Amino acid sequence: MPPLRYGLPFLPALPSGASWQIFVITKDLIAQHNLTDDEYQKIVGILGREPNITELGMFSVMWSEHCSYKSSRVHLKKLPTTGHRVVQGPGENAGAVDIGDGLCAVFKMESHNHPSFIEPYQGAATGVGGILRDIFTMGARPIALLNALRFGGLDHAKNRRLVKGVVSGIAAYGNCMGVPTVGGEIAFNDIYSQNPLVNVFCLGIAHKDKIFLGTAAGVGNPVIYFGSKTGRDGIHGATMASDSFDDQSEQKRPTVQVGDPFTEKLLLEACLELMAGDLLVGIQDMGAAGLTSSSCEMASRAGNGIDLDLTDLPRREPGMTPYEVMLSESQERMLMVAQAGKEDECIRICKKWDLDVAVVGRVTGDGILRVKDQGKVVAEIPAKSLADDGPRYERPYSPPAYQDLLTNLNYDALPDVKDADAALLLLLESPTIASKRWVYEQYDHMVRTNTMVRPGSDAAVVRIKGTNKALAMTVDCNSRYCLLHPYEGARIAVAEAARNLVCSGAEPIGLTDCLNFGNPERPDIMWQFVLAIEGMKDACEHFTIPIVSGNVSFYNETNGLSIYPTPMLGMVGLIDSADKTMTQWFKQDGDAILLLGKTREDLGGSEYLKVIHHREQGSPPFLSLETEKALHDFILNVIREGVVQSAHDCSDGGLSVALAECCVSAPDARRGAVVRLPLDTLRRDALLFGESQSRVVLSVKPEMADQVLNRAWDFGIPAMKIGTVGGDRFVINVEKGQWTEGCRIDLPVDQLHDLWAFSIERTLNEA
């Protein structure tokens, strides 16, 4: 392998004394920069000449899938992005929604999948650092982090190492920053063994009238670099994130950034002080594509240009070329456009926080991003061409030939459950369902004392200091549903995220997405993506939930094997009175247990089918958006009236798992339950473990049961009393049906808790 130069193995070392400009742009060099021949000819047309090596690198990162959204933008335009609460929609560093009292919630979710596979600790840590900068760049102080993770099966040692590395990276960066990680979602499937997913969500609070945007307005205004020094780490990270993997992918470790949370903490405080001082015109972090993306995007948004001079730019390593400086993705760096004449004050504040800082340019009116180094022009490109005029593809899409085989499930050939006790124990031990306490106990989820509901309930809840309000947040996606039917799977993801929020007492007010898919150049992958977008669109429009920010992560595949389509959603809800916050666990012996919603024969795509029968097959559960919306309205109504003791949605593992979680998930106590279920014409496994949608388990004081049931029916929601809280055993009696024998689950609550609470920890500690 040739020596590593310019952060890339395909750029050889130069002869002594030679200029970096001597590179001849060959077909191989173009291909190694992930540019097609047509894209290269478009670059030549824009410039009116052949690009030099620095310009080629800048186009390569900005026209990568990761930065340009060239395969997805035409479809993303279909998503609903407006609403009466929307303060800032897609197109900026993060989205923002109005929460009243002159405040807004600023939030976004991003992926760091490829870097986390190559280098789990740093990949995950810098993913946290990047999403934090997206939030405080907008003028918001971050108050909560969540993560959505996908790993291969824990029976493989490599996957266990990945889990430990990723969790350690997330914990180290968030904990050092003093931002609590308050919740998240983790699922396990062998399909993610070569392509784990690390999606990170962050939320901050800002004053509605003090949102800062990434714009380079005002010709003549100074452009100021501040934060860490620029090094050679992370060069071509955006290009690497826009490529499929193969057996040699771990050799791409030099393209993974290295993070320093202590510097980021100083950067956060410096940014907020700069913003409070009426000094800035625009500001943006240097994320993917580094200085190239921050400069050209800020200029393009304002219709301006920028003259950059790299001569005095702080560098961590000697001998760095313009190519390396412009493409470096070194962490904890920002670019600001200050008001003319206020440079000295900006520099003073940065130095106060012990940050490197330098004036590196001026805003111009000619629309050109012009880069100089040591007095020489080394790149000259229209800013809009880099940021906005990249290729746009309407790639062909069609369902895969195997799709009918996936959805074809013969229930008659599937044996009904015989030992319901054993089936429930296996499900509770399954790492996708089991408690994630081993993970979240490594996170500081109480720092800053805003956290009201810790990890372990349907949604995390944080109070908004200075008000009586709280915000609930959740991340959700059932990837298996999306594999079996991308449209239905995406609709269900929206519905479940919203259901988690309303079960916490929150009205859903905004959504961010992180859309993880395989290679968009394959028609079957593009078909999954297009249908998922349509499903998200229809569900969000029905629930009037705007999508205010997001991210697309394509090329999540290795050696031609793609991940399951995973359109991960992060949703935020508002609780007007924080004292009305609800949790999922049973509170008091003697309370009545109610089931809202109708149970159908929905075994397709269920965790039960995978764990017990080793099959991922069938159609996802039926979802009526009208029924789901009525359920949300009813639950919010009765929670706000104070007649509910607990609320928990039914999802993975079905009704029996939901009931068991209500018994064992409380942080301070465990309570048993005795439940009786009518079988009617259903199979036993469908009743106990099927994943029918629009269902919620409530507990209420016994004297309120009839009132709540009658109210539910008034809302058009099927509802019944199914049991009572109390005792030290978990009992479900399934009555005999019309054609089916009944069955019984009868297990000690302590046994359920031990199996559920420590399953992942035991597996990870295996040799």
Side-chain angles (χ1 to χ4, degrees), residues 230-310:
T230 294
R232 289 189 171 100
D233 54 319
I235 293 175
H236 266 287
T239 308
M240 178 267 292
S242 306
D243 197 8
S244 299
F245 274 0
D246 56 29
D247 293 332
Q248 307 303 314
S249 293
E250 291 191 40
Q251 295 181 11
K252 297 181 180 180
R253 195 168 272 111
T255 61
V256 178
Q257 310 93 327
V258 178
D260 177 2
F262 299 103
T263 298
E264 178 121 337
K265 175 62 175 172
L266 300 176
L267 189 64
L268 162 63
E269 299 301 338
C271 283
L272 295 180
E273 184 172 345
L274 287 163
M275 292 165 176
D278 190 30
L279 303 171
L280 304 185
V281 172
I283 184 169
Q284 182 153 323
D285 82 298
M286 296 186 206
L291 183 56
T292 294
S293 65
S294 56
S295 57
C296 74
E297 287 173 357
M298 292 179 77
S300 181
R301 289 188 188 113
N304 285 328
I306 290 179
D307 275 359
L308 280 180
D309 190 338
L310 307 182

Side-chain angles (χ1 to χ4, degrees), residues 458-477:
D458 280 324
V461 180
V462 295
R463 67 172 52 85
I464 308 304
K465 288 179 178 174
T467 77
N468 190 39
K469 297 176 179 177
L471 289 173
M473 58 204 82
T474 186
V475 285
D476 271 296
C477 178

Side-chain angles (χ1 to χ4, degrees), residues 297-414:
E297 287 173 357
M298 292 179 77
S300 181
R301 289 188 188 113
N304 285 328
I306 290 179
D307 275 359
L308 280 180
D309 190 338
L310 307 182
T311 304
D312 296 325
L313 187 137
R315 308 184 195 199
R316 197 165 61 232
E317 303 175 50
M320 291 186 69
T321 66
Y323 182 104
E324 293 174 312
V325 172
M326 292 304 296
L327 271 62
S328 168
E329 293 182 11
S330 293
Q331 296 292 285
E332 295 90 34
R333 301 179 303 155
M334 306 284 280
L335 199 66
M336 62 175 153
V337 175
Q339 296 181 32
K342 296 188 177 180
E343 300 95 321
D344 290 345
E345 179 62 11
C346 292
I347 290 171
R348 183 193 68 78
I349 291 172
C350 292
K351 288 184 175 179
K352 167 190 168 183
W353 290 102
D354 200 24
L355 299 172
D356 285 287
V357 59
V359 176
V360 294
R362 297 279 168 181
V363 177
T364 65
D366 62 5
I368 302 296
L369 176 58
R370 188 174 292 105
V371 184
K372 299 178 182 178
D373 189 39
Q374 305 299 327
K376 297 179 180 179
V377 175
V378 296
E380 204 165 15
I381 307 172
K384 190 173 187 295
S385 296
L386 280 173
D388 298 315
D389 293 342
R392 298 284 183 271
Y393 296 129
E394 293 191 46
R395 298 195 185 276
Y397 57 91
S398 59
Y402 56 78
Q403 197 67 32
D404 288 344
L405 293 175
L406 282 176
T407 55
N408 222 352
L409 177 62
N410 183 359
Y411 283 94
D412 292 337
L414 194 69

